Amino acid sequence: MKHLFGIRELDRAQLDELLDLAETFVGNGSPSQTLQAKTIAPLFFEDSTRTRASFEMAALKLGANVLDFDAKTSSLNKGESVRDTAQTIQEMGIDAFIVRHKSGGIPQRIAEWTGIPVINAGDGAHEHPTQALLDCLTLRQALNRKDLKGIKIAFVGDFAHSRVMRSSVHAFSMLGAELTLVAPSTMHPSDMSVWPITVKYNLDEVIKENDIIYSIRLQQERISKAVMPSMREYITRYCISLDRLSRMEKDQLIMDAGPVLRGVQMSAEVLEDPRCLVSKQVANGIPVRMAVLQSILGGAQ
Ligand code: CP
């Protein structure tokens, strides 16, 4: 594997291989030096907390150096292009870029411009492949199995603008899950027909039927027009409230890629419930990103 642009470019064997490797890094506190001579550059043109921090932790745990690039204080502000920025940093001896950008396709363009490995850390509403990988690892651990055959997963929220949903739908489908999307009609994606997914509009209709409820954030940074009558109505219909939680079984699970909009996507108390996997998802960001970095930089390419 030279790059990781999206889950849709992986086959089942590659997905399993990355997850198997990630499992070997879970709870592995002792730093390894397998990427000792390597330097990675996180090019985050869009904000991030968990993805950037866990890529940096993953690189440091493997012995790699991490360039401290801050788009907000860079010469992008003087009018330098993304291409010139990437090529300038490449000249400094970088082994891989980790790229987040508000536009889909920028990671591929940077790979074309520079010729060095690029890992997509989220591009527009296109893909967020390492999020999907950590979601799969979290479900492997929670369900104690490597596939999702017969497992019912309902995504709830803003799919029209969600790269998390697009990557995780691909990954969960590949593992055999049965998927439902629940949202107002304005938040369903226009490219729906590419996935074998049931479309619903009422969370209460599906909440008991699914093994996992995966909440997708309102992507306010990408929403350019009114997609719902009011926030109050959205919360009433789609928030995982305490009342909805009380109707769920003991073995039903709740996921969210984060950041979580408390009181909009779910009540604060839901985040503390043992059925909620959000903190496990965050923790799994490190072993998954170690596996991706190791696969791209640690062996034959
Ligand atoms: N899930 C996710 O991508 O979070 P950040 O935006 O904080 O990286």
Side-chain angles (χ1 to χ4, degrees):
M1 190 164 79
K2 177 159 184 186
H3 308 283
L4 179 60
F5 298 132
I7 294 293
R8 64 193 86 187
E9 285 129 34
L10 301 180
D11 59 26
R12 174 68 194 269
Q14 289 172 306
L15 180 65
D16 285 343
E17 210 174 296
L18 281 168
L19 295 173
D20 288 344
L21 182 57
E23 270 185 341
T24 70
F25 292 127
V26 172
N28 179 359
S30 56
S32 145
Q33 297 300 306
T34 53
L35 299 186
Q36 194 172 22
K38 307 289 186 185
T39 302
I40 65 155
L43 297 186
F44 278 62
F45 302 101
E46 197 185 71
D47 297 343
S48 166
T49 296
R50 64 223 82 221
T51 308
R52 180 169 185 153
S54 58
F55 261 118
E56 293 188 5
M57 290 276 290
L60 293 172
K61 278 174 175 277
L62 292 170
N65 302 305
V66 180
L67 183 89
D68 183 16
F69 172 78
D70 178 7
K72 288 200 170 80
T73 56
S74 75
S75 290
L76 285 160
N77 295 327
K78 301 175 195 162
E80 190 164 41
S81 66
V82 169
R83 178 179 186 154
D84 288 341
T85 301
Q87 287 176 333
T88 298
I89 289 172
Q90 177 199 1
E91 293 302 331
M92 297 173 191
I94 295 301
D95 296 291
F97 286 119
I98 317 294
V99 177
R100 171 169 286 192
H101 197 280
K102 66 179 182 190
S103 300
I106 291 291
Q108 288 95 325
R109 299 307 307 278
I110 289 178
E112 288 159 18
W113 292 328
T114 64
I116 65 172
V118 173
I119 300 167
N120 181 2
D123 60 333
H126 176 231
E127 281 245 25
H128 192 351
T130 55
Q131 180 66 48
L133 289 168
L134 73 86
D135 289 342
C136 291
L137 180 63
T138 305
L139 287 179
R140 265 193 185 201
Q141 294 165 340
L143 303 174
N144 198 23
R145 52 189 277 188
K146 289 191 174 186
D147 68 79
L148 295 173
K149 218 165 274 173
I151 299 294
K152 293 185 174 149
I153 303 177
F155 289 90
V156 180
D158 173 14
F159 312 120
H161 306 92
S162 175
R163 56 193 174 214
V164 168
M165 183 279 289
R166 281 175 175 75
S167 288
S168 292
V169 159
H170 278 288
F172 294 164
S173 293
M174 229 189 298
L175 295 175
E178 294 168 31
L179 303 174
T180 299
L181 301 188
V182 192
S185 56
T186 49
M187 289 186 190
H188 281 283
S190 52
D191 48 349
M192 271 309 304
S193 56
V194 300
W195 301 297
I197 294 178
T198 305
V199 175
K200 296 275 186 176
Y201 304 94
N202 184 342
L203 177 57
D204 292 314
E205 232 180 73
V206 304
I207 203 153
K208 281 195 80 76
E209 291 167 9
N210 282 273
D211 303 293
I212 293 144
I213 306 294
Y214 194 128
S215 173
I216 297 283
R217 183 173 60 87
L218 291 174
Q219 320 279 300
Q220 279 148 331
E221 65 277 28
R222 280 186 277 283
I223 297 176
S224 56
K225 55 182 187 203
V227 289
M228 56 193 165
S230 71
M231 185 65 86
R232 179 184 290 218
E233 181 178 326
Y234 181 85
I235 292 169
T236 304
R237 295 184 61 194
Y238 298 106
C239 178
I240 306 172
S241 58
L242 265 182
D243 172 54
R244 290 191 169 111
L245 183 72
S246 73
R247 283 184 266 137
M248 291 175 70
E249 303 295 334
K250 291 265 179 290
D251 58 353
Q252 283 183 280
L253 298 169
I254 295 161
M255 299 180 79
D256 192 308
V260 177
L261 302 178
R262 287 174 185 243
V264 175
Q265 291 178 260
M266 60 184 78
S267 301
E269 297 86 345
V270 174
L271 279 160
E272 311 301 327
D273 192 276
R275 289 167 284 185
C276 183
L277 301 179
V278 170
S279 57
K280 293 188 172 70
Q281 289 171 268
V282 171
N284 279 331
I286 295 173
V288 153
R289 288 166 179 132
M290 288 173 80
V292 171
L293 288 169
Q294 177 72 38
S295 298
I296 288 177
L297 291 175
Q301 290 175 20

mmCIF file with all atom_site columns, all heavy atoms in Angstrom, residues 170-188:
data_model
loop_
_atom_site.group_PDB
_atom_site.id
_atom_site.type_symbol
_atom_site.label_atom_id
_atom_site.label_alt_id
_atom_site.label_comp_id
_atom_site.label_asym_id
_atom_site.label_entity_id
_atom_site.label_seq_id
_atom_site.pdbx_PDB_ins_code
_atom_site.Cartn_x
_atom_site.Cartn_y
_atom_site.Cartn_z
_atom_site.occupancy
_atom_site.B_iso_or_equiv
_atom_site.pdbx_formal_charge
_atom_site.auth_seq_id
_atom_site.auth_comp_id
_atom_site.auth_asym_id
_atom_site.auth_atom_id
_atom_site.pdbx_PDB_model_num
ATOM 1   N N   . HIS A 1 170 ? -18.880 1.924  3.707  1.00 0.00 ? 170 HIS A N   1
ATOM 2   C CA  . HIS A 1 170 ? -18.097 0.995  2.879  1.00 0.00 ? 170 HIS A CA  1
ATOM 3   C C   . HIS A 1 170 ? -17.487 -0.119 3.728  1.00 0.00 ? 170 HIS A C   1
ATOM 4   O O   . HIS A 1 170 ? -17.552 -1.294 3.379  1.00 0.00 ? 170 HIS A O   1
ATOM 5   C CB  . HIS A 1 170 ? -16.972 1.742  2.154  1.00 0.00 ? 170 HIS A CB  1
ATOM 6   C CG  . HIS A 1 170 ? -17.428 2.414  0.912  1.00 0.00 ? 170 HIS A CG  1
ATOM 7   N ND1 . HIS A 1 170 ? -17.771 1.736  -0.240 1.00 0.00 ? 170 HIS A ND1 1
ATOM 8   C CD2 . HIS A 1 170 ? -17.606 3.716  0.625  1.00 0.00 ? 170 HIS A CD2 1
ATOM 9   C CE1 . HIS A 1 170 ? -18.148 2.591  -1.161 1.00 0.00 ? 170 HIS A CE1 1
ATOM 10  N NE2 . HIS A 1 170 ? -18.057 3.804  -0.667 1.00 0.00 ? 170 HIS A NE2 1
ATOM 11  N N   . ALA A 1 171 ? -16.861 0.294  4.840  1.00 0.00 ? 171 ALA A N   1
ATOM 12  C CA  . ALA A 1 171 ? -16.166 -0.694 5.673  1.00 0.00 ? 171 ALA A CA  1
ATOM 13  C C   . ALA A 1 171 ? -17.162 -1.667 6.317  1.00 0.00 ? 171 ALA A C   1
ATOM 14  O O   . ALA A 1 171 ? -16.958 -2.896 6.271  1.00 0.00 ? 171 ALA A O   1
ATOM 15  C CB  . ALA A 1 171 ? -15.356 0.023  6.750  1.00 0.00 ? 171 ALA A CB  1
ATOM 16  N N   . PHE A 1 172 ? -18.247 -1.144 6.889  1.00 0.00 ? 172 PHE A N   1
ATOM 17  C CA  . PHE A 1 172 ? -19.220 -2.015 7.554  1.00 0.00 ? 172 PHE A CA  1
ATOM 18  C C   . PHE A 1 172 ? -19.894 -2.940 6.535  1.00 0.00 ? 172 PHE A C   1
ATOM 19  O O   . PHE A 1 172 ? -20.170 -4.107 6.833  1.00 0.00 ? 172 PHE A O   1
ATOM 20  C CB  . PHE A 1 172 ? -20.290 -1.180 8.278  1.00 0.00 ? 172 PHE A CB  1
ATOM 21  C CG  . PHE A 1 172 ? -19.788 -0.360 9.454  1.00 0.00 ? 172 PHE A CG  1
ATOM 22  C CD1 . PHE A 1 172 ? -20.565 0.668  9.977  1.00 0.00 ? 172 PHE A CD1 1
ATOM 23  C CD2 . PHE A 1 172 ? -18.563 -0.612 10.045 1.00 0.00 ? 172 PHE A CD2 1
ATOM 24  C CE1 . PHE A 1 172 ? -20.134 1.430  11.067 1.00 0.00 ? 172 PHE A CE1 1
ATOM 25  C CE2 . PHE A 1 172 ? -18.109 0.153  11.126 1.00 0.00 ? 172 PHE A CE2 1
ATOM 26  C CZ  . PHE A 1 172 ? -18.901 1.177  11.629 1.00 0.00 ? 172 PHE A CZ  1
ATOM 27  N N   . SER A 1 173 ? -20.165 -2.417 5.326  1.00 0.00 ? 173 SER A N   1
ATOM 28  C CA  . SER A 1 173 ? -20.772 -3.262 4.282  1.00 0.00 ? 173 SER A CA  1
ATOM 29  C C   . SER A 1 173 ? -19.831 -4.402 3.918  1.00 0.00 ? 173 SER A C   1
ATOM 30  O O   . SER A 1 173 ? -20.251 -5.552 3.760  1.00 0.00 ? 173 SER A O   1
ATOM 31  C CB  . SER A 1 173 ? -21.038 -2.465 3.010  1.00 0.00 ? 173 SER A CB  1
ATOM 32  O OG  . SER A 1 173 ? -22.013 -1.516 3.238  1.00 0.00 ? 173 SER A OG  1
ATOM 33  N N   . MET A 1 174 ? -18.537 -4.067 3.760  1.00 0.00 ? 174 MET A N   1
ATOM 34  C CA  . MET A 1 174 ? -17.560 -5.094 3.405  1.00 0.00 ? 174 MET A CA  1
ATOM 35  C C   . MET A 1 174 ? -17.513 -6.208 4.451  1.00 0.00 ? 174 MET A C   1
ATOM 36  O O   . MET A 1 174 ? -17.288 -7.368 4.154  1.00 0.00 ? 174 MET A O   1
ATOM 37  C CB  . MET A 1 174 ? -16.173 -4.453 3.276  1.00 0.00 ? 174 MET A CB  1
ATOM 38  C CG  . MET A 1 174 ? -15.444 -4.815 2.009  1.00 0.00 ? 174 MET A CG  1
ATOM 39  S SD  . MET A 1 174 ? -13.733 -4.258 2.001  1.00 0.00 ? 174 MET A SD  1
ATOM 40  C CE  . MET A 1 174 ? -13.860 -2.496 2.110  1.00 0.00 ? 174 MET A CE  1
ATOM 41  N N   . LEU A 1 175 ? -17.750 -5.837 5.705  1.00 0.00 ? 175 LEU A N   1
ATOM 42  C CA  . LEU A 1 175 ? -17.710 -6.821 6.794  1.00 0.00 ? 175 LEU A CA  1
ATOM 43  C C   . LEU A 1 175 ? -19.050 -7.531 6.973  1.00 0.00 ? 175 LEU A C   1
ATOM 44  O O   . LEU A 1 175 ? -19.193 -8.395 7.829  1.00 0.00 ? 175 LEU A O   1
ATOM 45  C CB  . LEU A 1 175 ? -17.292 -6.138 8.103  1.00 0.00 ? 175 LEU A CB  1
ATOM 46  C CG  . LEU A 1 175 ? -15.862 -5.569 8.110  1.00 0.00 ? 175 LEU A CG  1
ATOM 47  C CD1 . LEU A 1 175 ? -15.582 -4.813 9.407  1.00 0.00 ? 175 LEU A CD1 1
ATOM 48  C CD2 . LEU A 1 175 ? -14.815 -6.671 7.928  1.00 0.00 ? 175 LEU A CD2 1
ATOM 49  N N   . GLY A 1 176 ? -20.070 -7.158 6.176  1.00 0.00 ? 176 GLY A N   1
ATOM 50  C CA  . GLY A 1 176 ? -21.332 -7.909 6.178  1.00 0.00 ? 176 GLY A CA  1
ATOM 51  C C   . GLY A 1 176 ? -22.477 -7.304 6.951  1.00 0.00 ? 176 GLY A C   1
ATOM 52  O O   . GLY A 1 176 ? -23.526 -7.951 7.105  1.00 0.00 ? 176 GLY A O   1
ATOM 53  N N   . ALA A 1 177 ? -22.327 -6.068 7.447  1.00 0.00 ? 177 ALA A N   1
ATOM 54  C CA  . ALA A 1 177 ? -23.408 -5.467 8.253  1.00 0.00 ? 177 ALA A CA  1
ATOM 55  C C   . ALA A 1 177 ? -24.605 -5.090 7.389  1.00 0.00 ? 177 ALA A C   1
ATOM 56  O O   . ALA A 1 177 ? -24.474 -4.863 6.183  1.00 0.00 ? 177 ALA A O   1
ATOM 57  C CB  . ALA A 1 177 ? -22.887 -4.229 8.972  1.00 0.00 ? 177 ALA A CB  1
ATOM 58  N N   . GLU A 1 178 ? -25.783 -5.031 8.027  1.00 0.00 ? 178 GLU A N   1
ATOM 59  C CA  . GLU A 1 178 ? -27.006 -4.537 7.366  1.00 0.00 ? 178 GLU A CA  1
ATOM 60  C C   . GLU A 1 178 ? -27.217 -3.095 7.835  1.00 0.00 ? 178 GLU A C   1
ATOM 61  O O   . GLU A 1 178 ? -27.308 -2.842 9.040  1.00 0.00 ? 178 GLU A O   1
ATOM 62  C CB  . GLU A 1 178 ? -28.204 -5.396 7.772  1.00 0.00 ? 178 GLU A CB  1
ATOM 63  C CG  . GLU A 1 178 ? -28.093 -6.833 7.267  1.00 0.00 ? 178 GLU A CG  1
ATOM 64  C CD  . GLU A 1 178 ? -29.124 -7.736 7.926  1.00 0.00 ? 178 GLU A CD  1
ATOM 65  O OE1 . GLU A 1 178 ? -30.225 -7.260 8.272  1.00 0.00 ? 178 GLU A OE1 1
ATOM 66  O OE2 . GLU A 1 178 ? -28.804 -8.920 8.114  1.00 0.00 ? 178 GLU A OE2 1
ATOM 67  N N   . LEU A 1 179 ? -27.291 -2.167 6.858  1.00 0.00 ? 179 LEU A N   1
ATOM 68  C CA  . LEU A 1 179 ? -27.228 -0.749 7.206  1.00 0.00 ? 179 LEU A CA  1
ATOM 69  C C   . LEU A 1 179 ? -28.522 0.004  6.939  1.00 0.00 ? 179 LEU A C   1
ATOM 70  O O   . LEU A 1 179 ? -29.189 -0.235 5.936  1.00 0.00 ? 179 LEU A O   1
ATOM 71  C CB  . LEU A 1 179 ? -26.085 -0.080 6.435  1.00 0.00 ? 179 LEU A CB  1
ATOM 72  C CG  . LEU A 1 179 ? -24.698 -0.708 6.644  1.00 0.00 ? 179 LEU A CG  1
ATOM 73  C CD1 . LEU A 1 179 ? -23.674 -0.068 5.728  1.00 0.00 ? 179 LEU A CD1 1
ATOM 74  C CD2 . LEU A 1 179 ? -24.253 -0.589 8.096  1.00 0.00 ? 179 LEU A CD2 1
ATOM 75  N N   . THR A 1 180 ? -28.828 0.931  7.842  1.00 0.00 ? 180 THR A N   1
ATOM 76  C CA  . THR A 1 180 ? -29.979 1.827  7.682  1.00 0.00 ? 180 THR A CA  1
ATOM 77  C C   . THR A 1 180 ? -29.491 3.259  7.903  1.00 0.00 ? 180 THR A C   1
ATOM 78  O O   . THR A 1 180 ? -28.635 3.488  8.765  1.00 0.00 ? 180 THR A O   1
ATOM 79  C CB  . THR A 1 180 ? -31.059 1.493  8.740  1.00 0.00 ? 180 THR A CB  1
ATOM 80  O OG1 . THR A 1 180 ? -31.489 0.146  8.537  1.00 0.00 ? 180 THR A OG1 1
ATOM 81  C CG2 . THR A 1 180 ? -32.263 2.417  8.633  1.00 0.00 ? 180 THR A CG2 1
ATOM 82  N N   . LEU A 1 181 ? -30.002 4.184  7.113  1.00 0.00 ? 181 LEU A N   1
ATOM 83  C CA  . LEU A 1 181 ? -29.726 5.611  7.343  1.00 0.00 ? 181 LEU A CA  1
ATOM 84  C C   . LEU A 1 181 ? -31.015 6.278  7.799  1.00 0.00 ? 181 LEU A C   1
ATOM 85  O O   . LEU A 1 181 ? -32.043 6.132  7.151  1.00 0.00 ? 181 LEU A O   1
ATOM 86  C CB  . LEU A 1 181 ? -29.244 6.308  6.065  1.00 0.00 ? 181 LEU A CB  1
ATOM 87  C CG  . LEU A 1 181 ? -27.990 5.820  5.363  1.00 0.00 ? 181 LEU A CG  1
ATOM 88  C CD1 . LEU A 1 181 ? -27.609 6.796  4.242  1.00 0.00 ? 181 LEU A CD1 1
ATOM 89  C CD2 . LEU A 1 181 ? -26.823 5.671  6.313  1.00 0.00 ? 181 LEU A CD2 1
ATOM 90  N N   . VAL A 1 182 ? -30.941 7.009  8.904  1.00 0.00 ? 182 VAL A N   1
ATOM 91  C CA  . VAL A 1 182 ? -32.126 7.691  9.438  1.00 0.00 ? 182 VAL A CA  1
ATOM 92  C C   . VAL A 1 182 ? -31.850 9.185  9.520  1.00 0.00 ? 182 VAL A C   1
ATOM 93  O O   . VAL A 1 182 ? -30.917 9.604  10.216 1.00 0.00 ? 182 VAL A O   1
ATOM 94  C CB  . VAL A 1 182 ? -32.462 7.200  10.865 1.00 0.00 ? 182 VAL A CB  1
ATOM 95  C CG1 . VAL A 1 182 ? -33.841 7.697  11.281 1.00 0.00 ? 182 VAL A CG1 1
ATOM 96  C CG2 . VAL A 1 182 ? -32.375 5.699  10.967 1.00 0.00 ? 182 VAL A CG2 1
ATOM 97  N N   . ALA A 1 183 ? -32.640 9.995  8.815  1.00 0.00 ? 183 ALA A N   1
ATOM 98  C CA  . ALA A 1 183 ? -32.421 11.441 8.805  1.00 0.00 ? 183 ALA A CA  1
ATOM 99  C C   . ALA A 1 183 ? -33.591 12.131 8.131  1.00 0.00 ? 183 ALA A C   1
ATOM 100 O O   . ALA A 1 183 ? -34.387 11.479 7.439  1.00 0.00 ? 183 ALA A O   1
ATOM 101 C CB  . ALA A 1 183 ? -31.145 11.770 8.040  1.00 0.00 ? 183 ALA A CB  1
ATOM 102 N N   . PRO A 1 184 ? -33.668 13.470 8.270  1.00 0.00 ? 184 PRO A N   1
ATOM 103 C CA  . PRO A 1 184 ? -34.633 14.206 7.446  1.00 0.00 ? 184 PRO A CA  1
ATOM 104 C C   . PRO A 1 184 ? -34.254 14.022 5.973  1.00 0.00 ? 184 PRO A C   1
ATOM 105 O O   . PRO A 1 184 ? -33.078 13.805 5.669  1.00 0.00 ? 184 PRO A O   1
ATOM 106 C CB  . PRO A 1 184 ? -34.424 15.666 7.864  1.00 0.00 ? 184 PRO A CB  1
ATOM 107 C CG  . PRO A 1 184 ? -33.541 15.655 9.062  1.00 0.00 ? 184 PRO A CG  1
ATOM 108 C CD  . PRO A 1 184 ? -32.867 14.341 9.138  1.00 0.00 ? 184 PRO A CD  1
ATOM 109 N N   . SER A 1 185 ? -35.220 14.120 5.086  1.00 0.00 ? 185 SER A N   1
ATOM 110 C CA  . SER A 1 185 ? -34.941 13.855 3.662  1.00 0.00 ? 185 SER A CA  1
ATOM 111 C C   . SER A 1 185 ? -33.858 14.778 3.111  1.00 0.00 ? 185 SER A C   1
ATOM 112 O O   . SER A 1 185 ? -33.076 14.383 2.248  1.00 0.00 ? 185 SER A O   1
ATOM 113 C CB  . SER A 1 185 ? -36.220 13.989 2.839  1.00 0.00 ? 185 SER A CB  1
ATOM 114 O OG  . SER A 1 185 ? -36.754 15.263 3.062  1.00 0.00 ? 185 SER A OG  1
ATOM 115 N N   . THR A 1 186 ? -33.736 15.993 3.662  1.00 0.00 ? 186 THR A N   1
ATOM 116 C CA  . THR A 1 186 ? -32.714 16.936 3.181  1.00 0.00 ? 186 THR A CA  1
ATOM 117 C C   . THR A 1 186 ? -31.300 16.523 3.574  1.00 0.00 ? 186 THR A C   1
ATOM 118 O O   . THR A 1 186 ? -30.332 17.089 3.081  1.00 0.00 ? 186 THR A O   1
ATOM 119 C CB  . THR A 1 186 ? -32.969 18.335 3.785  1.00 0.00 ? 186 THR A CB  1
ATOM 120 O OG1 . THR A 1 186 ? -33.155 18.177 5.188  1.00 0.00 ? 186 THR A OG1 1
ATOM 121 C CG2 . THR A 1 186 ? -34.169 18.999 3.156  1.00 0.00 ? 186 THR A CG2 1
ATOM 122 N N   . MET A 1 187 ? -31.176 15.565 4.461  1.00 0.00 ? 187 MET A N   1
ATOM 123 C CA  . MET A 1 187 ? -29.833 15.164 4.922  1.00 0.00 ? 187 MET A CA  1
ATOM 124 C C   . MET A 1 187 ? -29.422 13.806 4.391  1.00 0.00 ? 187 MET A C   1
ATOM 125 O O   . MET A 1 187 ? -28.388 13.258 4.794  1.00 0.00 ? 187 MET A O   1
ATOM 126 C CB  . MET A 1 187 ? -29.778 15.163 6.445  1.00 0.00 ? 187 MET A CB  1
ATOM 127 C CG  . MET A 1 187 ? -29.818 16.542 7.018  1.00 0.00 ? 187 MET A CG  1
ATOM 128 S SD  . MET A 1 187 ? -29.570 16.505 8.778  1.00 0.00 ? 187 MET A SD  1
ATOM 129 C CE  . MET A 1 187 ? -29.981 18.188 9.190  1.00 0.00 ? 187 MET A CE  1
ATOM 130 N N   . HIS A 1 188 ? -30.260 13.223 3.530  1.00 0.00 ? 188 HIS A N   1
ATOM 131 C CA  . HIS A 1 188 ? -29.844 11.969 2.903  1.00 0.00 ? 188 HIS A CA  1
ATOM 132 C C   . HIS A 1 188 ? -28.936 12.298 1.724  1.00 0.00 ? 188 HIS A C   1
ATOM 133 O O   . HIS A 1 188 ? -29.140 13.291 1.027  1.00 0.00 ? 188 HIS A O   1
ATOM 134 C CB  . HIS A 1 188 ? -31.061 11.174 2.429  1.00 0.00 ? 188 HIS A CB  1
ATOM 135 C CG  . HIS A 1 188 ? -31.729 10.442 3.556  1.00 0.00 ? 188 HIS A CG  1
ATOM 136 N ND1 . HIS A 1 188 ? -31.214 9.283  4.085  1.00 0.00 ? 188 HIS A ND1 1
ATOM 137 C CD2 . HIS A 1 188 ? -32.842 10.715 4.266  1.00 0.00 ? 188 HIS A CD2 1
ATOM 138 C CE1 . HIS A 1 188 ? -32.004 8.865  5.074  1.00 0.00 ? 188 HIS A CE1 1
ATOM 139 N NE2 . HIS A 1 188 ? -32.996 9.727  5.213  1.00 0.00 ? 188 HIS A NE2 1
#
